[in-house]
PDB file of all heavy atoms in Angstrom:
ATOM      1  N   ASN A 285     -17.697  10.275  -3.251  1.00 94.00           N
ATOM      2  CA  ASN A 285     -16.408   9.756  -2.789  1.00 94.00           C
ATOM      3  C   ASN A 285     -15.475   9.533  -3.981  1.00 94.00           C
ATOM      4  O   ASN A 285     -14.263   9.647  -3.860  1.00 94.00           O
ATOM      5  CB  ASN A 285     -16.604   8.483  -1.963  1.00 94.00           C
ATOM      6  CG  ASN A 285     -16.881   7.263  -2.792  1.00 94.00           C
ATOM      7  OD1 ASN A 285     -17.850   7.239  -3.550  1.00 94.00           O
ATOM      8  ND2 ASN A 285     -16.033   6.255  -2.664  1.00 94.00           N
ATOM      9  N   LYS A 286     -16.073   9.232  -5.141  1.00 95.00           N
ATOM     10  CA  LYS A 286     -15.246   9.042  -6.341  1.00 95.00           C
ATOM     11  C   LYS A 286     -14.524  10.322  -6.724  1.00 95.00           C
ATOM     12  O   LYS A 286     -13.358  10.304  -7.124  1.00 95.00           O
ATOM     13  CB  LYS A 286     -16.116   8.567  -7.515  1.00 95.00           C
ATOM     14  CG  LYS A 286     -16.331   7.079  -7.481  1.00 95.00           C
ATOM     15  CD  LYS A 286     -17.049   6.596  -8.726  1.00 95.00           C
ATOM     16  CE  LYS A 286     -17.413   5.131  -8.536  1.00 95.00           C
ATOM     17  NZ  LYS A 286     -18.562   4.738  -9.337  1.00 95.00           N
ATOM     18  N   ALA A 287     -15.256  11.437  -6.593  1.00 95.00           N
ATOM     19  CA  ALA A 287     -14.649  12.738  -6.910  1.00 95.00           C
ATOM     20  C   ALA A 287     -13.483  13.024  -5.968  1.00 95.00           C
ATOM     21  O   ALA A 287     -12.454  13.583  -6.372  1.00 95.00           O
ATOM     22  CB  ALA A 287     -15.707  13.830  -6.824  1.00 95.00           C
ATOM     23  N   ILE A 288     -13.641  12.612  -4.723  1.00 96.00           N
ATOM     24  CA  ILE A 288     -12.580  12.828  -3.726  1.00 96.00           C
ATOM     25  C   ILE A 288     -11.351  11.986  -4.089  1.00 96.00           C
ATOM     26  O   ILE A 288     -10.218  12.470  -4.070  1.00 96.00           O
ATOM     27  CB  ILE A 288     -13.083  12.457  -2.308  1.00 96.00           C
ATOM     28  CG1 ILE A 288     -14.205  13.418  -1.899  1.00 96.00           C
ATOM     29  CG2 ILE A 288     -11.939  12.508  -1.302  1.00 96.00           C
ATOM     30  CD1 ILE A 288     -14.957  12.968  -0.665  1.00 96.00           C
ATOM     31  N   ILE A 289     -11.619  10.729  -4.457  1.00 96.00           N
ATOM     32  CA  ILE A 289     -10.513   9.833  -4.831  1.00 96.00           C
ATOM     33  C   ILE A 289      -9.764  10.407  -6.039  1.00 96.00           C
ATOM     34  O   ILE A 289      -8.537  10.447  -6.057  1.00 96.00           O
ATOM     35  CB  ILE A 289     -11.035   8.404  -5.131  1.00 96.00           C
ATOM     36  CG1 ILE A 289     -11.570   7.762  -3.845  1.00 96.00           C
ATOM     37  CG2 ILE A 289      -9.936   7.538  -5.738  1.00 96.00           C
ATOM     38  CD1 ILE A 289     -12.253   6.428  -4.039  1.00 96.00           C
ATOM     39  N   GLU A 290     -10.542  10.889  -7.008  1.00 96.00           N
ATOM     40  CA  GLU A 290      -9.922  11.478  -8.205  1.00 96.00           C
ATOM     41  C   GLU A 290      -9.081  12.696  -7.847  1.00 96.00           C
ATOM     42  O   GLU A 290      -7.952  12.838  -8.309  1.00 96.00           O
ATOM     43  CB  GLU A 290     -11.004  11.903  -9.199  1.00 96.00           C
ATOM     44  CG  GLU A 290     -11.169  10.922 -10.345  1.00 96.00           C
ATOM     45  CD  GLU A 290     -12.371  11.287 -11.206  1.00 96.00           C
ATOM     46  OE1 GLU A 290     -12.484  12.462 -11.613  1.00 96.00           O
ATOM     47  OE2 GLU A 290     -13.191  10.379 -11.443  1.00 96.00           O
ATOM     48  N   ALA A 291      -9.655  13.531  -7.005  1.00 96.00           N
ATOM     49  CA  ALA A 291      -8.941  14.757  -6.619  1.00 96.00           C
ATOM     50  C   ALA A 291      -7.633  14.454  -5.899  1.00 96.00           C
ATOM     51  O   ALA A 291      -6.696  15.240  -5.916  1.00 96.00           O
ATOM     52  CB  ALA A 291      -9.846  15.619  -5.744  1.00 96.00           C
ATOM     53  N   LEU A 292      -7.578  13.267  -5.280  1.00 96.00           N
ATOM     54  CA  LEU A 292      -6.362  12.882  -4.546  1.00 96.00           C
ATOM     55  C   LEU A 292      -5.419  12.025  -5.394  1.00 96.00           C
ATOM     56  O   LEU A 292      -4.457  11.456  -4.873  1.00 96.00           O
ATOM     57  CB  LEU A 292      -6.742  12.116  -3.274  1.00 96.00           C
ATOM     58  CG  LEU A 292      -7.319  12.940  -2.110  1.00 96.00           C
ATOM     59  CD1 LEU A 292      -7.853  12.017  -1.022  1.00 96.00           C
ATOM     60  CD2 LEU A 292      -6.289  13.896  -1.524  1.00 96.00           C
ATOM     61  N   ASP A 293      -5.724  11.909  -6.671  1.00 96.00           N
ATOM     62  CA  ASP A 293      -4.952  11.039  -7.567  1.00 96.00           C
ATOM     63  C   ASP A 293      -4.968   9.585  -7.105  1.00 96.00           C
ATOM     64  O   ASP A 293      -3.968   8.870  -7.203  1.00 96.00           O
ATOM     65  CB  ASP A 293      -3.480  11.512  -7.684  1.00 96.00           C
ATOM     66  CG  ASP A 293      -3.375  12.871  -8.355  1.00 96.00           C
ATOM     67  OD1 ASP A 293      -4.328  13.234  -9.081  1.00 96.00           O
ATOM     68  OD2 ASP A 293      -2.369  13.567  -8.143  1.00 96.00           O
ATOM     69  N   GLY A 294      -6.107   9.175  -6.584  1.00 95.00           N
ATOM     70  CA  GLY A 294      -6.267   7.770  -6.206  1.00 95.00           C
ATOM     71  C   GLY A 294      -6.035   7.501  -4.734  1.00 95.00           C
ATOM     72  O   GLY A 294      -5.351   8.262  -4.048  1.00 95.00           O
TER      73      GLY A 294
END
Side-chain angles (χ1 to χ4, degrees):
Chain A
N285 77 302
K286 276 187 188 154
I288 295 168
I289 293 173
E290 258 173 50
L292 286 171
D293 295 338

